[in-house]
Amino acid sequence: MDFQQIFNDSPEVWASAPGRVNLLGEHTDYNDGFVLPTAIPQQTTVYIGISPNPRHHFYSVELAAQVDVAPNNPVSSGFGRYIFGCIQVLEKLGHKVPPLNVLVTSTVPIGSGLSSSAALEIATLKALRSLLELDLDPVQLAQLGQQAEIEYAGVQCGIMDQMAASLADTKHLLFLDTRTLERQLLPLPAESEILVIDSGIPRTLADSGYNQRRAECEAAAQILKVPALRDVTDVKQVETLPSPLQQRARHVITENNRVLEASKGVSAQRFGELMNASHQSLRDDYEVSVAGLDHLVDLLQNTPAVWGARLTGAGFGGACVALVKQGEANTIGQTVLKQYNADHQTEYQGRMLVPDEL
Ligand code: ADP
Ligand code: MG
């Protein structure tokens, strides 16, 4: 389905933004910490034209769904909230947005932790920027996308996803300080490439678990009398905290230190060790892993030519990321999935997300 078929018209503008996978720095962005994501090859593209009537019309090819809304009537559920949110944050800045026809098409897996939501927001905002000839830089786009997701989709997200969708590319790691938004594009470790596998485990506990962890981090920062856990660099400082705040804070501090070490430029082997340590910390201190994810990570870590592996995203299900020898990702992914899917036949099935399944 293309724009012409849906709206019987041609689009005026279009823009794309990629999904992302986070290599290191998990659950650090809402603690003002450091992250190290990269863009994945899959992208979302948003086409925009002017609506011939007073309503907005949004169509998603992947969801085969259409939403029609009056410009002054907020969308309460579904994918329309993200697009409507992007329009609203621009209107709040004083930009007048006419009623629109919007078509979304995407190859980013939806709801697998590769941030299809930020890809949608950034592609929408970029397209709106062209349509309205706005002067907005990539950081402003990311901030507006985050604001749209928080205020209109009701997701208390950090800034990492939108910064990655706006500024990352597939050839580099985006080293980002989520407090200052200072950033640097760094090369991937030599001789390495990225493998992402979806565990197939539904992220049923993800929302409540995420909110609880955020609250625990805030409580830990308050006891330690710092604005955010980012301000604690010595892990010894958390020893006075009660459990589980102690473990949660320790994860954030050691994870920030891992990102900082990796950002200095380390070998693929050392980078992999940092990823393995990150998984252990997410499993034991942050307690956001589940048995199936641990199993998938184990299989990856025990495969030759894998430098390191860990769960990626908020946890409780979702995807795992591995850094592997260049040229090996496809074969490793297929081998590991064969075993994983045989072991979990009756529960869930994994699938390869990067490199893309053909
Ligand atoms: P993730 O960002 O990890 O993929 P989220 O739950 O944050 O998962 O965002 C997924 C939501 O974003 C979808 O439920 C949908 O509302 C919206 N979305 C993302 N991509 C698309 C798309 N191509 N078409 C329509 N909606 C999309
Ligand atoms: Mg998302």
Side-chain angles (χ1 to χ4, degrees), residues 51 53 63 65 68 79 85 90 104 134 149 215 221-222 224 240 242 247 253 258 282 290 308 322 338 342 349 355-356:
S51 166
N53 55 56
L63 301 183
D68 303 290
F79 81 98
L90 290 179
V104 183
L134 305 177
E149 182 147 347
Q222 209 164 24
L224 294 170
T240 53
Q247 290 80 353
I253 294 156
R258 283 185 282 273
L282 287 162
V290 291
K338 208 167 158 201
Q349 293 287 281
D356 212 352

Side-chain angles (χ1 to χ4, degrees), residues 115 117-118 149 161:
S115 208
S117 58
E149 182 147 347
D161 295 353

Side-chain angles (χ1 to χ4, degrees), residues 289-321:
S289 193
V290 291
L293 284 175
D294 291 340
H295 181 226
L296 182 51
V297 166
D298 263 357
L299 289 172
L300 285 162
Q301 289 178 352
N302 290 313
T303 302
V306 172
W307 299 113
R310 65 178 197 86
L311 72 84
T312 185
F316 301 100
C320 293
V321 62

Side-chain angles (χ1 to χ4, degrees), residues 60 62-63 78-79 82 104 106 109-117 120:
S60 163
E62 278 61 48
L63 301 183
F79 81 98
Y82 296 85
V104 183
S106 179
I110 298 175
S112 297
L114 299 185
S115 208
S116 66
S117 58
L120 174 57

